[in-house]
Amino acid sequence: DTEVTQTPKHLVMGMTNKKSLKCEQHMGHRAMYWYKQKAKKPPELMFVYSYEKLSINESVPSRFSPECPNSSLLNLHLHALQPEDSALYLCASSQAVRAYEQYFGPGTRLTVT
Amino acid sequence: ELKVEQNPLFLSMQEGKNYTIYCNYSTTSDRLYWYRQDPGKSLESLFVLLSNGAVKQEGRLMASLDTKARLSTLHITAAVHDLSATYFCAVDHHSGGSNYKLTFGKGTLLTVNP
């Protein structure tokens, strides 16, 4: 099973809302990632978790708050977002952070109104 | 900072023709990945290239890696419409301490016409 699942598939939220994105994998991977992808652009790395610890934060604004409750789950908590944060949010996982293939989830299409 | 340059960014091909997409990168790395993305969809892994001289083939696609030239190629043979998609190369590289990350090229939008 090489599946990474993400919920919800679509999310529309106002700028004052608080919402969360969820990502799950059951491949025993120990590295998990959040990427943001704008239309017609490549994915941009936001966060990396390695063995449930945050190892990379690519200077992401604090209105995005990641959480890794256990090795299978990764959340992204959203608060006070801006319309420019509207994008496809992709979760990925890999066996470890170094030189292992990343498997991507289907993504959450986020629209901030 | 690592730069990953893909070219061309847009490629319109006729069915049955051959073409190559190039991926150049600016720092030492011996790990490179190719992904495919269909409109509105996620990324699908195509090839994992883990050493100099690596060559992998799947159907009408063949990828290679030359770490000395810092160049990877994705060759398309006898293109068919189903290959229409955006193709990304991504380079795995050291980003400080014990951290590594992928940096993606801008992507090549491939359109295969009948």
mmCIF file of all heavy atoms in Angstrom, chain A residues 5-8 20-24 34 73-76 91 108:
data_model
loop_
_atom_site.group_PDB
_atom_site.id
_atom_site.type_symbol
_atom_site.label_atom_id
_atom_site.label_comp_id
_atom_site.label_asym_id
_atom_site.label_seq_id
_atom_site.Cartn_x
_atom_site.Cartn_y
_atom_site.Cartn_z
ATOM 1 N N THR A 5 -3.363 9.583 2.298
ATOM 2 C CA THR A 5 -4.707 10.152 2.197
ATOM 3 C C THR A 5 -4.731 11.539 2.821
ATOM 4 O O THR A 5 -4.004 11.819 3.774
ATOM 5 C CB THR A 5 -5.753 9.259 2.883
ATOM 6 O OG1 THR A 5 -5.401 9.118 4.265
ATOM 7 C CG2 THR A 5 -5.788 7.888 2.234
ATOM 8 N N GLN A 6 -5.588 12.385 2.267
ATOM 9 C CA GLN A 6 -5.744 13.738 2.777
ATOM 10 C C GLN A 6 -7.221 14.082 2.858
ATOM 11 O O GLN A 6 -7.991 13.738 1.961
ATOM 12 C CB GLN A 6 -5.062 14.768 1.861
ATOM 13 C CG GLN A 6 -3.556 14.728 1.898
ATOM 14 C CD GLN A 6 -2.935 15.850 1.095
ATOM 15 O OE1 GLN A 6 -2.271 15.611 0.088
ATOM 16 N NE2 GLN A 6 -3.151 17.089 1.551
ATOM 17 N N THR A 7 -7.585 14.761 3.930
ATOM 18 C CA THR A 7 -8.954 15.267 4.073
ATOM 19 C C THR A 7 -8.908 16.685 4.605
ATOM 20 O O THR A 7 -7.996 17.045 5.370
ATOM 21 C CB THR A 7 -9.767 14.390 5.038
ATOM 22 O OG1 THR A 7 -9.070 14.293 6.284
ATOM 23 C CG2 THR A 7 -10.010 13.018 4.463
ATOM 24 N N PRO A 8 -9.857 17.527 4.204
ATOM 25 C CA PRO A 8 -10.843 17.279 3.154
ATOM 26 C C PRO A 8 -10.232 17.442 1.766
ATOM 27 O O PRO A 8 -9.091 17.881 1.635
ATOM 28 C CB PRO A 8 -11.877 18.386 3.420
ATOM 29 C CG PRO A 8 -11.056 19.523 3.948
ATOM 30 C CD PRO A 8 -9.971 18.895 4.780
ATOM 31 N N SER A 20 -8.541 22.783 9.942
ATOM 32 C CA SER A 20 -7.370 21.906 9.919
ATOM 33 C C SER A 20 -7.410 20.998 8.709
ATOM 34 O O SER A 20 -8.475 20.538 8.300
ATOM 35 C CB SER A 20 -7.321 21.046 11.190
ATOM 36 O OG SER A 20 -7.163 21.859 12.331
ATOM 37 N N LEU A 21 -6.233 20.747 8.161
ATOM 38 C CA LEU A 21 -6.059 19.748 7.117
ATOM 39 C C LEU A 21 -5.430 18.518 7.752
ATOM 40 O O LEU A 21 -4.586 18.629 8.643
ATOM 41 C CB LEU A 21 -5.150 20.272 6.010
ATOM 42 C CG LEU A 21 -5.475 21.636 5.397
ATOM 43 C CD1 LEU A 21 -4.526 21.938 4.255
ATOM 44 C CD2 LEU A 21 -6.918 21.721 4.974
ATOM 45 N N LYS A 22 -5.846 17.374 7.234
ATOM 46 C CA LYS A 22 -5.358 16.117 7.816
ATOM 47 C C LYS A 22 -4.715 15.253 6.748
ATOM 48 O O LYS A 22 -5.175 15.210 5.609
ATOM 49 C CB LYS A 22 -6.517 15.361 8.454
ATOM 50 C CG LYS A 22 -6.148 14.041 9.101
ATOM 51 C CD LYS A 22 -7.384 13.384 9.708
ATOM 52 C CE LYS A 22 -7.083 11.990 10.213
ATOM 53 N NZ LYS A 22 -8.278 11.319 10.758
ATOM 54 N N CYS A 23 -3.646 14.585 7.148
ATOM 55 C CA CYS A 23 -2.910 13.692 6.254
ATOM 56 C C CYS A 23 -2.601 12.413 7.005
ATOM 57 O O CYS A 23 -2.220 12.452 8.188
ATOM 58 C CB CYS A 23 -1.630 14.371 5.800
ATOM 59 S SG CYS A 23 -0.523 13.330 4.830
ATOM 60 N N GLU A 24 -2.715 11.282 6.318
ATOM 61 C CA GLU A 24 -2.482 10.003 6.974
ATOM 62 C C GLU A 24 -1.781 9.038 6.030
ATOM 63 O O GLU A 24 -2.073 9.005 4.828
ATOM 64 C CB GLU A 24 -3.812 9.414 7.434
ATOM 65 C CG GLU A 24 -3.710 8.280 8.410
ATOM 66 C CD GLU A 24 -5.037 7.979 9.100
ATOM 67 O OE1 GLU A 24 -6.058 8.615 8.764
ATOM 68 O OE2 GLU A 24 -5.039 7.107 9.991
ATOM 69 N N TRP A 34 4.620 18.857 4.273
ATOM 70 C CA TRP A 34 3.563 19.697 3.729
ATOM 71 C C TRP A 34 4.167 20.579 2.637
ATOM 72 O O TRP A 34 5.217 21.209 2.837
ATOM 73 C CB TRP A 34 2.945 20.609 4.788
ATOM 74 C CG TRP A 34 1.944 19.962 5.675
ATOM 75 C CD1 TRP A 34 2.050 19.747 7.018
ATOM 76 C CD2 TRP A 34 0.660 19.443 5.305
ATOM 77 N NE1 TRP A 34 0.927 19.133 7.502
ATOM 78 C CE2 TRP A 34 0.052 18.929 6.474
ATOM 79 C CE3 TRP A 34 -0.048 19.353 4.099
ATOM 80 C CZ2 TRP A 34 -1.220 18.342 6.471
ATOM 81 C CZ3 TRP A 34 -1.302 18.771 4.104
ATOM 82 C CH2 TRP A 34 -1.870 18.282 5.273
ATOM 83 N N LEU A 73 0.205 10.296 11.247
ATOM 84 C CA LEU A 73 -0.685 11.427 11.057
ATOM 85 C C LEU A 73 0.074 12.750 10.988
ATOM 86 O O LEU A 73 1.032 12.969 11.735
ATOM 87 C CB LEU A 73 -1.662 11.527 12.229
ATOM 88 C CG LEU A 73 -2.899 10.636 12.198
ATOM 89 C CD1 LEU A 73 -3.667 10.785 13.503
ATOM 90 C CD2 LEU A 73 -3.794 10.983 11.016
ATOM 91 N N LEU A 74 -0.421 13.608 10.126
ATOM 92 C CA LEU A 74 0.140 14.955 10.027
ATOM 93 C C LEU A 74 -1.021 15.920 9.825
ATOM 94 O O LEU A 74 -1.879 15.687 8.981
ATOM 95 C CB LEU A 74 1.104 15.048 8.837
ATOM 96 C CG LEU A 74 1.877 16.337 8.648
ATOM 97 C CD1 LEU A 74 2.842 16.572 9.804
ATOM 98 C CD2 LEU A 74 2.636 16.321 7.320
ATOM 99 N N ASN A 75 -1.050 16.941 10.640
ATOM 100 C CA ASN A 75 -2.104 17.945 10.536
ATOM 101 C C ASN A 75 -1.499 19.298 10.159
ATOM 102 O O ASN A 75 -0.325 19.571 10.439
ATOM 103 C CB ASN A 75 -2.849 18.088 11.864
ATOM 104 C CG ASN A 75 -3.547 16.817 12.289
ATOM 105 O OD1 ASN A 75 -4.133 16.122 11.465
ATOM 106 N ND2 ASN A 75 -3.491 16.515 13.578
ATOM 107 N N LEU A 76 -2.316 20.116 9.551
ATOM 108 C CA LEU A 76 -1.936 21.504 9.307
ATOM 109 C C LEU A 76 -3.094 22.381 9.772
ATOM 110 O O LEU A 76 -4.177 22.349 9.185
ATOM 111 C CB LEU A 76 -1.641 21.748 7.827
ATOM 112 C CG LEU A 76 -1.088 23.125 7.467
ATOM 113 C CD1 LEU A 76 0.258 23.362 8.151
ATOM 114 C CD2 LEU A 76 -0.940 23.274 5.957
ATOM 115 N N CYS A 91 0.300 16.833 0.933
ATOM 116 C CA CYS A 91 1.040 16.116 1.960
ATOM 117 C C CYS A 91 1.846 15.013 1.273
ATOM 118 O O CYS A 91 1.398 14.453 0.253
ATOM 119 C CB CYS A 91 0.071 15.516 2.965
ATOM 120 S SG CYS A 91 0.825 14.445 4.200
ATOM 121 N N THR A 108 -5.419 18.920 -0.792
ATOM 122 C CA THR A 108 -6.610 19.655 -0.368
ATOM 123 C C THR A 108 -6.617 20.980 -1.115
ATOM 124 O O THR A 108 -5.653 21.750 -1.030
ATOM 125 C CB THR A 108 -6.615 19.927 1.143
ATOM 126 O OG1 THR A 108 -6.737 18.707 1.854
ATOM 127 C CG2 THR A 108 -7.773 20.857 1.516
#
